Amino acid sequence: MTLVSTAWHVISALLVFLAGMLLITWAGRHFGTGSRRSLALYAWHTLFCLVYCWYVLKYGGDAIGYYLTARGGARDFHVGTYGVVYLTRLLIEGLGVSLLGAFLVYNLFGSLGLLAFDASLRVVTRDKSRTLRRLATLIVFLPSVSFWSAGIGKDALSFLATGLALWAALDLQRRIPLIAIAIAIMLLVRPHMAGMLIMGVSLALLLHPGTSLARRVLLGSVALAVAAALVPFGLEYAGVSSPDTEALMSYVEGRQGQNMQGGGAVDISSMSLPMQLFTYLFRPLPFEAHSLFALAAAVDNMILLYLFVMGGRAMLRHPGRRYQENRLFLWSYALIAWLMLAMTTANLGIALRQKWMFTPMLILLLLSALGTVRQQVRPTSPPLTPVMQIYQRYGIRPGQQRREP
């Protein structure tokens, strides 16, 4: 398997990269991000795209399977895994891209998600201290954020959907179309997560205090109707035979015994729910790392753990200092996704990839709770000179002669 094999493969890969630069710059203006920062994020994400390319060529991975299946597989369209295969096949047949070109296209999807994530964190830390703004930037540039979303697979598209949903949540009433796009993208690769997005939007629209009754009924009815149609579809895709309690428990127990091969396997069936939640989000820890990649992931997890401890402490001490606008959507989606994925994922490698479908929501909420808003100090007027004091006393403007009575 080679990255490129013809001159067109090289040219098409270069064209994809240059088109990505133009698209990222355009998107950065809409997100309120400067061109230099947008291109820096794109360059950083592309670096991990090349590393990911090298990694799958050397050690193998799902990305190679997606590409090979797309190059010689069926044309039928399905969501989930075959959604990625179908999209990759369109790229191969329509643009004639090689493995590298396909990687760069998915890298562009992930870069747009990273740009939306960065713009959202910049909004909530805009009036905070420089330390918090730097912490937000550090989180955006964590390797685990960019690595898995930089190659062929579900993670690039799901991270794009998450970034768009996070940006839309900052002004949910005006960005409903963007939420719809995010749900459609998530539906293509992970229908069950799209169902969770819809559940979060439905709760936010129904319970948001700033929404008029007529708008609440209209938007809430549409969201609930879509949820009634897509949530059962997402459950069926995930393997749940029916939405009753017994079927759900049977599904959870079955998932806890899957993906138990490899160094990242953990036995979550014997863990309590709080330990399952901690394991999913914060492991491996540094003392559990047995490779360079695991150590990098562990360092990222320690930074996230620090943010969660400090942010959770701030929320408990100052419950009123939370991000006020549309936080119901962020909390509902993030907590539902965290709970369901932590109870059904018995492999830390899979958790490292999939947690970025909801972790950006939690990060934004925790950052918004930390720190204090910087007060805007109004500049004081300079003291008046004796001449100006005389002008002010007799109501004379500079350059105007006072009329004698």
Side-chain angles (χ1 to χ4, degrees):
M1 190 71 191
T2 58
L3 287 178
V4 294
S5 56
T6 67
W8 172 248
H9 287 167
V10 177
I11 294 172
S12 61
L14 181 59
L15 291 176
V16 169
F17 176 73
L18 295 176
M21 293 180 63
L22 296 176
L23 183 58
I24 285 291
T25 304
W26 173 83
R29 290 198 296 267
H30 287 269
F31 288 130
T33 305
S35 298
R36 293 179 61 183
R37 188 177 181 91
S38 300
L39 292 175
L41 290 169
Y42 184 51
W44 174 256
H45 203 269
T46 303
L47 173 64
F48 283 96
C49 174
L50 299 177
V51 173
Y52 195 4
C53 241
W54 167 83
Y55 180 87
V56 296
L57 285 175
K58 185 175 180 63
Y59 299 103
D62 293 340
I64 296 292
Y66 287 132
Y67 182 79
L68 292 177
T69 304
R71 196 168 63 177
R75 298 173 180 269
D76 295 338
F77 171 76
H78 300 284
V79 296
T81 298
Y82 288 101
V84 176
V85 171
Y86 186 82
L87 177 58
T88 307
R89 187 173 183 84
L90 291 179
L91 295 174
I92 295 172
E93 293 185 348
L95 300 177
V97 297
S98 63
L99 178 66
L100 177 60
F103 258 84
L104 288 173
V105 172
Y106 281 87
N107 168 68
L108 178 56
F109 297 148
S111 297
L112 289 171
L114 185 67
L115 185 62
F117 180 33
D118 176 67
S120 302
L121 296 190
R122 283 164 61 87
V123 168
V124 297
T125 59
R126 182 170 46 204
D127 297 324
K128 300 295 182 69
S129 66
R130 179 179 298 179
T131 301
L132 278 180
R133 298 199 305 274
R134 289 178 174 174
L135 177 60
T137 299
L138 174 63
I139 291 172
V140 169
F141 282 94
L142 288 178
S144 60
V145 180
S146 296
F147 182 79
W148 298 110
S149 62
I152 302 173
K154 302 176 186 177
D155 300 295
L157 290 165
S158 62
F159 186 62
L160 170 59
T162 301
L164 295 179
L166 184 63
W167 176 255
L170 301 183
D171 193 356
L172 189 59
Q173 300 295 314
R174 296 182 180 180
R175 297 173 181 169
I176 290 295
L178 193 59
I179 280 285
I181 294 173
I183 292 173
I185 295 173
M186 190 70 82
L187 180 63
L188 174 65
V189 290
R190 291 196 168 104
H192 55 297
M193 300 303 298
M196 296 179 195
L197 274 175
I198 294 170
M199 292 169 62
V201 172
S202 301
L203 287 173
L205 294 177
L206 287 174
L207 302 180
H208 194 279
T211 307
S212 64
L213 180 59
R215 185 177 177 85
R216 186 179 302 178
V217 171
L218 176 61
L219 295 177
S221 300
V222 172
L224 288 176
V226 175
L230 290 185
V231 170
F233 174 74
L235 291 175
E236 182 180 355
Y237 166 80
V240 181
S241 56
S242 60
D244 56 73
T245 305
E246 184 178 353
L248 288 173
M249 292 303 298
S250 177
Y251 169 76
V252 170
E253 292 173 359
R255 291 286 299 178
Q256 289 179 350
Q258 296 181 7
N259 299 310
M260 292 294 293
Q261 299 81 21
V266 289
D267 182 15
I268 61 174
S269 60
S270 59
M271 295 180 184
S272 63
L273 180 58
M275 190 60 190
Q276 289 176 349
L277 294 172
F278 180 88
T279 296
Y280 186 86
L281 206 56
F282 302 115
R283 291 178 63 186
L285 296 172
F287 62 86
E288 297 176 306
H290 302 293
S291 66
L292 181 61
F293 287 99
L295 181 60
V299 172
D300 291 355
N301 287 338
M302 292 303 297
I303 296 173
L304 290 178
L305 183 58
Y306 168 79
L307 172 63
F308 272 69
V309 170
M310 300 304 295
R313 180 185 176 188
M315 285 185 172
L316 292 175
R317 295 180 61 182
H318 307 283
R321 283 170 48 189
R322 291 173 289 181
Y323 189 63
Q324 296 298 317
E325 185 179 3
N326 298 324
R327 67 178 184 268
L328 181 60
F329 163 65
L330 299 174
W331 278 121
S332 58
Y333 168 70
L335 293 181
I336 292 172
W338 187 9
L339 179 65
M340 294 303 299
L341 293 174
M343 293 173 60
T344 57
T345 306
N347 190 287
L348 297 181
I350 296 176
L352 285 172
R353 298 163 56 180
Q354 295 185 354
K355 70 182 181 182
W356 292 106
M357 293 186 294
F358 67 88
T359 305
M361 279 71 173
L362 294 176
I363 291 173
L364 183 140
L365 289 164
L366 292 168
L367 280 175
S368 65
L370 285 172
T372 57
V373 177
R374 293 179 298 170
Q375 299 294 328
Q376 299 294 332
V377 181
R378 295 182 177 180
T380 56
S381 302
L384 297 177
T385 63
V387 175
M388 294 301 296
Q389 290 178 6
I390 295 174
Y391 282 163
Q392 186 179 53
R393 179 179 179 183
Y394 291 101
I396 303 174
R397 294 192 301 271
Q400 176 185 11
Q401 294 184 353
R402 183 172 179 269
R403 295 183 178 179
E404 296 294 336

